[in-house]
Amino acid sequence: MLVLHHDPKELQASLKLLRATLFGLVENFEFKHARDLFTRLASTRHPGLTDPQRLALAEMLKSLGDKATMQILAAFLKENSQLARSHDVFELMKTLGRETVPHLCELLSSAEPHIPAIADVLVQLGAGCGDIFSQYLLSPNAQVAHALVQVILRTDKHGAIERIASALKHPDENVRLYAAKTLFEHGGAKAGSFFLQMLKGTSPKLVSLAIRFFAKTPHAAAYGEIQAIVRNRGFHDFDGQRQDQCFMALMLADPERATAFIARSVLRWSRSLRRSNSCGISCR
């Protein structure tokens, strides 16, 4: 059973000693012992403590997730590039609590080999931290951005789509495409406005993905943009599957207008094809 002094000065001295002990274990890379001690101290089963003592203990434990601790963890990760996701250093990170989330986000960019393991920690700690995660979606490190897209998806059920969409502004097209594919798979109708913007963009890959999205998701506002694509000369360079997706998107967006437009388009193409064939015959 944990016993602490009631006298405020003695209490602070005891907590200072406990913190120094914990920090010393971390400093010596004894992460398992640090985690075990932290867990025991954080336990609510200390019947001998008063409420002020519990509060002071909790504040002391929270302070251990500070910048000094993170610097030690960063140094260890830098020296050890091959670590299992279950390594004690990552288990300690989970124990330190959600106050460490901003520090762990900062750590991602300097610990590339360990991004998946740190992302696992963020998933466990990150409920309600969507605003913090979204700040790092535009990280110049594409691996960091990719990892945080998945962290947000797994921790923010209500705001994930809007937050992930901010990665569509990333300067790296691979990150934009990764975010778009995530929205395609998980966004549903809520992602429609973001794919509508993609139709207006210059990236063939993103435009293609947007067409695929509207070919399975009705979105009335997409009709004009899809129609403009069909009318463009580049439409004839699309393969048959992509052309079919355009027509399907039009039908889902506005069946009545699409039916008339597609019928006129087919008739026009048929006449154009006949003229082309007759020219070919007469020129032989």
mmCIF file of all heavy atoms in Angstrom, residues 207-243:
data_model
loop_
_atom_site.group_PDB
_atom_site.id
_atom_site.type_symbol
_atom_site.label_atom_id
_atom_site.label_comp_id
_atom_site.label_asym_id
_atom_site.label_seq_id
_atom_site.Cartn_x
_atom_site.Cartn_y
_atom_site.Cartn_z
ATOM 1 N N VAL A 207 -8.599 12.708 -60.548
ATOM 2 C CA VAL A 207 -9.822 12.839 -61.354
ATOM 3 C C VAL A 207 -10.424 11.463 -61.614
ATOM 4 O O VAL A 207 -11.637 11.264 -61.497
ATOM 5 C CB VAL A 207 -9.521 13.558 -62.687
ATOM 6 C CG1 VAL A 207 -10.722 13.485 -63.622
ATOM 7 C CG2 VAL A 207 -9.140 15.017 -62.432
ATOM 8 N N SER A 208 -9.572 10.507 -61.938
ATOM 9 C CA SER A 208 -10.036 9.146 -62.203
ATOM 10 C C SER A 208 -10.710 8.553 -60.967
ATOM 11 O O SER A 208 -11.767 7.914 -61.068
ATOM 12 C CB SER A 208 -8.851 8.275 -62.628
ATOM 13 O OG SER A 208 -9.250 6.935 -62.794
ATOM 14 N N LEU A 209 -10.114 8.768 -59.798
ATOM 15 C CA LEU A 209 -10.695 8.245 -58.563
ATOM 16 C C LEU A 209 -12.031 8.923 -58.260
ATOM 17 O O LEU A 209 -12.986 8.278 -57.802
ATOM 18 C CB LEU A 209 -9.722 8.447 -57.402
ATOM 19 C CG LEU A 209 -10.089 7.767 -56.083
ATOM 20 C CD1 LEU A 209 -10.132 6.248 -56.249
ATOM 21 C CD2 LEU A 209 -9.091 8.140 -54.990
ATOM 22 N N ALA A 210 -12.110 10.222 -58.540
ATOM 23 C CA ALA A 210 -13.360 10.947 -58.315
ATOM 24 C C ALA A 210 -14.475 10.407 -59.224
ATOM 25 O O ALA A 210 -15.624 10.251 -58.790
ATOM 26 C CB ALA A 210 -13.148 12.438 -58.553
ATOM 27 N N ILE A 211 -14.133 10.111 -60.470
ATOM 28 C CA ILE A 211 -15.128 9.534 -61.390
ATOM 29 C C ILE A 211 -15.625 8.195 -60.855
ATOM 30 O O ILE A 211 -16.824 7.907 -60.858
ATOM 31 C CB ILE A 211 -14.520 9.365 -62.795
ATOM 32 C CG1 ILE A 211 -14.269 10.739 -63.429
ATOM 33 C CG2 ILE A 211 -15.451 8.531 -63.690
ATOM 34 C CD1 ILE A 211 -13.472 10.677 -64.722
ATOM 35 N N ARG A 212 -14.707 7.367 -60.368
ATOM 36 C CA ARG A 212 -15.087 6.077 -59.777
ATOM 37 C C ARG A 212 -16.011 6.277 -58.578
ATOM 38 O O ARG A 212 -16.980 5.534 -58.386
ATOM 39 C CB ARG A 212 -13.839 5.310 -59.330
ATOM 40 C CG ARG A 212 -13.052 4.666 -60.462
ATOM 41 C CD ARG A 212 -11.790 4.036 -59.919
ATOM 42 N NE ARG A 212 -12.086 3.069 -58.861
ATOM 43 C CZ ARG A 212 -11.213 2.641 -57.955
ATOM 44 N NH1 ARG A 212 -9.962 3.113 -57.975
ATOM 45 N NH2 ARG A 212 -11.562 1.757 -57.047
ATOM 46 N N PHE A 213 -15.718 7.297 -57.781
ATOM 47 C CA PHE A 213 -16.552 7.574 -56.613
ATOM 48 C C PHE A 213 -17.982 7.911 -57.022
ATOM 49 O O PHE A 213 -18.953 7.362 -56.484
ATOM 50 C CB PHE A 213 -15.948 8.731 -55.805
ATOM 51 C CG PHE A 213 -16.799 9.168 -54.643
ATOM 52 C CD1 PHE A 213 -16.739 8.500 -53.428
ATOM 53 C CD2 PHE A 213 -17.664 10.248 -54.766
ATOM 54 C CE1 PHE A 213 -17.532 8.894 -52.354
ATOM 55 C CE2 PHE A 213 -18.458 10.656 -53.696
ATOM 56 C CZ PHE A 213 -18.389 9.975 -52.483
ATOM 57 N N PHE A 214 -18.122 8.824 -57.990
ATOM 58 C CA PHE A 214 -19.468 9.245 -58.388
ATOM 59 C C PHE A 214 -20.193 8.181 -59.202
ATOM 60 O O PHE A 214 -21.414 8.249 -59.360
ATOM 61 C CB PHE A 214 -19.391 10.562 -59.157
ATOM 62 C CG PHE A 214 -19.002 11.730 -58.288
ATOM 63 C CD1 PHE A 214 -17.842 12.445 -58.537
ATOM 64 C CD2 PHE A 214 -19.790 12.094 -57.210
ATOM 65 C CE1 PHE A 214 -17.470 13.508 -57.731
ATOM 66 C CE2 PHE A 214 -19.438 13.155 -56.391
ATOM 67 C CZ PHE A 214 -18.270 13.862 -56.647
ATOM 68 N N ALA A 215 -19.447 7.204 -59.714
ATOM 69 C CA ALA A 215 -20.089 6.093 -60.424
ATOM 70 C C ALA A 215 -20.762 5.126 -59.461
ATOM 71 O O ALA A 215 -21.513 4.254 -59.894
ATOM 72 C CB ALA A 215 -19.064 5.348 -61.272
ATOM 73 N N LYS A 216 -20.500 5.296 -58.164
ATOM 74 C CA LYS A 216 -21.160 4.422 -57.173
ATOM 75 C C LYS A 216 -21.908 5.217 -56.099
ATOM 76 O O LYS A 216 -22.638 4.638 -55.305
ATOM 77 C CB LYS A 216 -20.127 3.517 -56.493
ATOM 78 C CG LYS A 216 -19.162 4.194 -55.536
ATOM 79 C CD LYS A 216 -18.162 3.208 -54.963
ATOM 80 C CE LYS A 216 -17.261 3.861 -53.909
ATOM 81 N NZ LYS A 216 -17.970 4.167 -52.661
ATOM 82 N N THR A 217 -21.750 6.550 -56.122
ATOM 83 C CA THR A 217 -22.379 7.378 -55.090
ATOM 84 C C THR A 217 -23.137 8.526 -55.735
ATOM 85 O O THR A 217 -22.518 9.404 -56.353
ATOM 86 C CB THR A 217 -21.303 7.957 -54.139
ATOM 87 O OG1 THR A 217 -20.476 6.899 -53.661
ATOM 88 C CG2 THR A 217 -21.962 8.671 -52.964
ATOM 89 N N PRO A 218 -24.450 8.564 -55.635
ATOM 90 C CA PRO A 218 -25.227 9.660 -56.235
ATOM 91 C C PRO A 218 -24.843 11.011 -55.644
ATOM 92 O O PRO A 218 -24.731 11.150 -54.423
ATOM 93 C CB PRO A 218 -26.672 9.300 -55.875
ATOM 94 C CG PRO A 218 -26.656 7.841 -55.555
ATOM 95 C CD PRO A 218 -25.313 7.574 -54.964
ATOM 96 N N HIS A 219 -24.618 11.990 -56.506
ATOM 97 C CA HIS A 219 -24.282 13.338 -56.039
ATOM 98 C C HIS A 219 -24.699 14.314 -57.137
ATOM 99 O O HIS A 219 -24.013 14.482 -58.141
ATOM 100 C CB HIS A 219 -22.776 13.431 -55.773
ATOM 101 C CG HIS A 219 -22.391 14.640 -54.977
ATOM 102 N ND1 HIS A 219 -22.485 14.700 -53.603
ATOM 103 C CD2 HIS A 219 -21.916 15.848 -55.367
ATOM 104 C CE1 HIS A 219 -22.067 15.879 -53.178
ATOM 105 N NE2 HIS A 219 -21.715 16.599 -54.228
ATOM 106 N N ALA A 220 -25.834 14.952 -56.931
ATOM 107 C CA ALA A 220 -26.424 15.797 -57.977
ATOM 108 C C ALA A 220 -25.471 16.892 -58.448
ATOM 109 O O ALA A 220 -25.423 17.220 -59.642
ATOM 110 C CB ALA A 220 -27.722 16.423 -57.452
ATOM 111 N N ALA A 221 -24.690 17.460 -57.529
ATOM 112 C CA ALA A 221 -23.814 18.574 -57.894
ATOM 113 C C ALA A 221 -22.681 18.150 -58.820
ATOM 114 O O ALA A 221 -22.025 19.002 -59.424
ATOM 115 C CB ALA A 221 -23.229 19.208 -56.627
ATOM 116 N N ALA A 222 -22.466 16.853 -58.951
ATOM 117 C CA ALA A 222 -21.369 16.376 -59.808
ATOM 118 C C ALA A 222 -21.764 16.338 -61.282
ATOM 119 O O ALA A 222 -20.895 16.166 -62.146
ATOM 120 C CB ALA A 222 -20.927 14.983 -59.356
ATOM 121 N N TYR A 223 -23.043 16.493 -61.584
ATOM 122 C CA TYR A 223 -23.508 16.312 -62.960
ATOM 123 C C TYR A 223 -22.767 17.229 -63.942
ATOM 124 O O TYR A 223 -22.256 16.772 -64.972
ATOM 125 C CB TYR A 223 -25.019 16.568 -63.058
ATOM 126 C CG TYR A 223 -25.556 16.266 -64.437
ATOM 127 C CD1 TYR A 223 -26.007 14.994 -64.764
ATOM 128 C CD2 TYR A 223 -25.595 17.258 -65.429
ATOM 129 C CE1 TYR A 223 -26.476 14.708 -66.035
ATOM 130 C CE2 TYR A 223 -26.056 16.973 -66.700
ATOM 131 C CZ TYR A 223 -26.494 15.695 -66.995
ATOM 132 O OH TYR A 223 -26.945 15.406 -68.262
ATOM 133 N N GLY A 224 -22.684 18.516 -63.627
ATOM 134 C CA GLY A 224 -22.077 19.463 -64.562
ATOM 135 C C GLY A 224 -20.611 19.160 -64.827
ATOM 136 O O GLY A 224 -20.155 19.232 -65.979
ATOM 137 N N GLU A 225 -19.870 18.811 -63.787
ATOM 138 C CA GLU A 225 -18.443 18.518 -63.953
ATOM 139 C C GLU A 225 -18.224 17.244 -64.770
ATOM 140 O O GLU A 225 -17.343 17.190 -65.639
ATOM 141 C CB GLU A 225 -17.759 18.383 -62.580
ATOM 142 C CG GLU A 225 -17.701 19.674 -61.777
ATOM 143 C CD GLU A 225 -16.878 20.747 -62.460
ATOM 144 O OE1 GLU A 225 -15.923 20.395 -63.186
ATOM 145 O OE2 GLU A 225 -17.190 21.941 -62.270
ATOM 146 N N ILE A 226 -19.022 16.213 -64.491
ATOM 147 C CA ILE A 226 -18.888 14.959 -65.248
ATOM 148 C C ILE A 226 -19.275 15.182 -66.707
ATOM 149 O O ILE A 226 -18.626 14.677 -67.636
ATOM 150 C CB ILE A 226 -19.757 13.843 -64.632
ATOM 151 C CG1 ILE A 226 -19.310 13.538 -63.198
ATOM 152 C CG2 ILE A 226 -19.690 12.588 -65.483
ATOM 153 C CD1 ILE A 226 -18.004 12.817 -63.074
ATOM 154 N N GLN A 227 -20.328 15.939 -66.913
ATOM 155 C CA GLN A 227 -20.760 16.233 -68.286
ATOM 156 C C GLN A 227 -19.659 16.965 -69.051
ATOM 157 O O GLN A 227 -19.398 16.676 -70.232
ATOM 158 C CB GLN A 227 -22.028 17.070 -68.268
ATOM 159 C CG GLN A 227 -22.639 17.271 -69.657
ATOM 160 C CD GLN A 227 -23.856 18.184 -69.608
ATOM 161 O OE1 GLN A 227 -23.756 19.326 -69.172
ATOM 162 N NE2 GLN A 227 -24.999 17.660 -70.034
ATOM 163 N N ALA A 228 -18.996 17.899 -68.387
ATOM 164 C CA ALA A 228 -17.905 18.639 -69.033
ATOM 165 C C ALA A 228 -16.767 17.693 -69.413
ATOM 166 O O ALA A 228 -16.143 17.849 -70.472
ATOM 167 C CB ALA A 228 -17.393 19.731 -68.093
ATOM 168 N N ILE A 229 -16.499 16.695 -68.580
ATOM 169 C CA ILE A 229 -15.456 15.713 -68.889
ATOM 170 C C ILE A 229 -15.841 14.899 -70.117
ATOM 171 O O ILE A 229 -15.024 14.645 -71.005
ATOM 172 C CB ILE A 229 -15.225 14.790 -67.672
ATOM 173 C CG1 ILE A 229 -14.548 15.574 -66.543
ATOM 174 C CG2 ILE A 229 -14.377 13.574 -68.058
ATOM 175 C CD1 ILE A 229 -14.420 14.817 -65.242
ATOM 176 N N VAL A 230 -17.101 14.497 -70.194
ATOM 177 C CA VAL A 230 -17.571 13.700 -71.331
ATOM 178 C C VAL A 230 -17.496 14.513 -72.626
ATOM 179 O O VAL A 230 -17.175 13.975 -73.698
ATOM 180 C CB VAL A 230 -19.014 13.199 -71.082
ATOM 181 C CG1 VAL A 230 -19.569 12.511 -72.329
ATOM 182 C CG2 VAL A 230 -19.042 12.238 -69.891
ATOM 183 N N ARG A 231 -17.770 15.790 -72.539
ATOM 184 C CA ARG A 231 -17.745 16.633 -73.734
ATOM 185 C C ARG A 231 -16.319 16.977 -74.173
ATOM 186 O O ARG A 231 -16.099 17.382 -75.312
ATOM 187 C CB ARG A 231 -18.517 17.933 -73.459
ATOM 188 C CG ARG A 231 -20.033 17.740 -73.483
ATOM 189 C CD ARG A 231 -20.717 19.012 -73.085
ATOM 190 N NE ARG A 231 -22.152 18.965 -73.391
ATOM 191 C CZ ARG A 231 -23.047 19.815 -72.913
ATOM 192 N NH1 ARG A 231 -22.653 20.789 -72.104
ATOM 193 N NH2 ARG A 231 -24.314 19.703 -73.240
ATOM 194 N N ASN A 232 -15.378 16.807 -73.280
ATOM 195 C CA ASN A 232 -13.994 17.137 -73.592
ATOM 196 C C ASN A 232 -13.394 16.101 -74.539
ATOM 197 O O ASN A 232 -13.720 14.919 -74.474
ATOM 198 C CB ASN A 232 -13.174 17.185 -72.295
ATOM 199 C CG ASN A 232 -11.795 17.764 -72.505
ATOM 200 O OD1 ASN A 232 -10.939 17.119 -73.093
ATOM 201 N ND2 ASN A 232 -11.599 18.973 -72.024
ATOM 202 N N ARG A 233 -12.519 16.554 -75.424
ATOM 203 C CA ARG A 233 -11.901 15.635 -76.386
ATOM 204 C C ARG A 233 -11.130 14.509 -75.701
ATOM 205 O O ARG A 233 -11.026 13.405 -76.219
ATOM 206 C CB ARG A 233 -10.951 16.404 -77.299
ATOM 207 C CG ARG A 233 -11.663 17.308 -78.292
ATOM 208 C CD ARG A 233 -10.663 17.937 -79.241
ATOM 209 N NE ARG A 233 -11.319 18.771 -80.238
ATOM 210 C CZ ARG A 233 -10.673 19.400 -81.202
ATOM 211 N NH1 ARG A 233 -9.345 19.298 -81.268
ATOM 212 N NH2 ARG A 233 -11.329 20.134 -82.079
ATOM 213 N N GLY A 234 -10.609 14.801 -74.491
ATOM 214 C CA GLY A 234 -9.840 13.791 -73.779
ATOM 215 C C GLY A 234 -10.660 12.588 -73.373
ATOM 216 O O GLY A 234 -10.115 11.516 -73.075
ATOM 217 N N PHE A 235 -12.002 12.737 -73.361
ATOM 218 C CA PHE A 235 -12.880 11.632 -72.995
ATOM 219 C C PHE A 235 -12.665 10.437 -73.927
ATOM 220 O O PHE A 235 -12.755 9.278 -73.497
ATOM 221 C CB PHE A 235 -14.344 12.087 -73.059
ATOM 222 C CG PHE A 235 -15.327 11.002 -72.730
ATOM 223 C CD1 PHE A 235 -15.532 10.587 -71.428
ATOM 224 C CD2 PHE A 235 -16.074 10.394 -73.747
ATOM 225 C CE1 PHE A 235 -16.445 9.594 -71.121
ATOM 226 C CE2 PHE A 235 -16.988 9.402 -73.458
ATOM 227 C CZ PHE A 235 -17.182 9.002 -72.141
ATOM 228 N N HIS A 236 -12.355 10.690 -75.180
ATOM 229 C CA HIS A 236 -12.181 9.602 -76.141
ATOM 230 C C HIS A 236 -10.907 8.816 -75.886
ATOM 231 O O HIS A 236 -10.737 7.720 -76.423
ATOM 232 C CB HIS A 236 -12.192 10.159 -77.575
ATOM 233 C CG HIS A 236 -13.492 10.817 -77.931
ATOM 234 N ND1 HIS A 236 -14.620 10.095 -78.234
ATOM 235 C CD2 HIS A 236 -13.840 12.129 -78.004
ATOM 236 C CE1 HIS A 236 -15.622 10.942 -78.491
ATOM 237 N NE2 HIS A 236 -15.177 12.168 -78.356
ATOM 238 N N ASP A 237 -10.028 9.365 -75.060
ATOM 239 C CA ASP A 237 -8.808 8.641 -74.703
ATOM 240 C C ASP A 237 -9.022 7.713 -73.505
ATOM 241 O O ASP A 237 -8.161 6.902 -73.190
ATOM 242 C CB ASP A 237 -7.669 9.629 -74.367
ATOM 243 C CG ASP A 237 -7.283 10.474 -75.581
ATOM 244 O OD1 ASP A 237 -7.374 9.950 -76.700
ATOM 245 O OD2 ASP A 237 -6.891 11.640 -75.382
ATOM 246 N N PHE A 238 -10.181 7.863 -72.837
ATOM 247 C CA PHE A 238 -10.499 6.974 -71.719
ATOM 248 C C PHE A 238 -10.745 5.566 -72.239
ATOM 249 O O PHE A 238 -11.255 5.395 -73.364
ATOM 250 C CB PHE A 238 -11.760 7.433 -70.991
ATOM 251 C CG PHE A 238 -11.594 8.678 -70.162
ATOM 252 C CD1 PHE A 238 -12.688 9.232 -69.508
ATOM 253 C CD2 PHE A 238 -10.357 9.283 -70.007
ATOM 254 C CE1 PHE A 238 -12.559 10.374 -68.741
ATOM 255 C CE2 PHE A 238 -10.221 10.428 -69.245
ATOM 256 C CZ PHE A 238 -11.319 10.978 -68.608
ATOM 257 N N ASP A 239 -10.430 4.563 -71.440
ATOM 258 C CA ASP A 239 -10.798 3.201 -71.834
ATOM 259 C C ASP A 239 -12.297 3.016 -71.614
ATOM 260 O O ASP A 239 -12.990 3.866 -71.039
ATOM 261 C CB ASP A 239 -9.986 2.161 -71.058
ATOM 262 C CG ASP A 239 -10.170 2.255 -69.539
ATOM 263 O OD1 ASP A 239 -11.241 2.719 -69.092
ATOM 264 O OD2 ASP A 239 -9.255 1.849 -68.806
ATOM 265 N N GLY A 240 -12.811 1.892 -72.089
ATOM 266 C CA GLY A 240 -14.255 1.659 -72.024
ATOM 267 C C GLY A 240 -14.797 1.684 -70.606
ATOM 268 O O GLY A 240 -15.890 2.206 -70.349
ATOM 269 N N GLN A 241 -14.023 1.147 -69.681
ATOM 270 C CA GLN A 241 -14.479 1.113 -68.287
ATOM 271 C C GLN A 241 -14.631 2.526 -67.722
ATOM 272 O O GLN A 241 -15.622 2.831 -67.054
ATOM 273 C CB GLN A 241 -13.496 0.311 -67.434
ATOM 274 C CG GLN A 241 -13.925 0.186 -65.968
ATOM 275 C CD GLN A 241 -12.918 -0.587 -65.144
ATOM 276 O OE1 GLN A 241 -11.725 -0.548 -65.404
ATOM 277 N NE2 GLN A 241 -13.394 -1.297 -64.138
ATOM 278 N N ARG A 242 -13.656 3.387 -68.006
ATOM 279 C CA ARG A 242 -13.717 4.747 -67.497
ATOM 280 C C ARG A 242 -14.865 5.522 -68.125
ATOM 281 O O ARG A 242 -15.557 6.293 -67.461
ATOM 282 C CB ARG A 242 -12.382 5.446 -67.770
ATOM 283 C CG ARG A 242 -12.203 6.797 -67.100
ATOM 284 C CD ARG A 242 -12.293 6.700 -65.565
ATOM 285 N NE ARG A 242 -11.681 5.491 -65.056
ATOM 286 C CZ ARG A 242 -10.372 5.293 -64.925
ATOM 287 N NH1 ARG A 242 -9.546 6.254 -65.254
ATOM 288 N NH2 ARG A 242 -9.909 4.171 -64.445
ATOM 289 N N GLN A 243 -15.104 5.319 -69.422
ATOM 290 C CA GLN A 243 -16.240 5.981 -70.067
ATOM 291 C C GLN A 243 -17.557 5.518 -69.453
ATOM 292 O O GLN A 243 -18.452 6.330 -69.190
ATOM 293 C CB GLN A 243 -16.214 5.686 -71.566
ATOM 294 C CG GLN A 243 -15.068 6.353 -72.315
ATOM 295 C CD GLN A 243 -15.088 6.039 -73.797
ATOM 296 O OE1 GLN A 243 -15.827 5.174 -74.262
ATOM 297 N NE2 GLN A 243 -14.254 6.738 -74.569
#
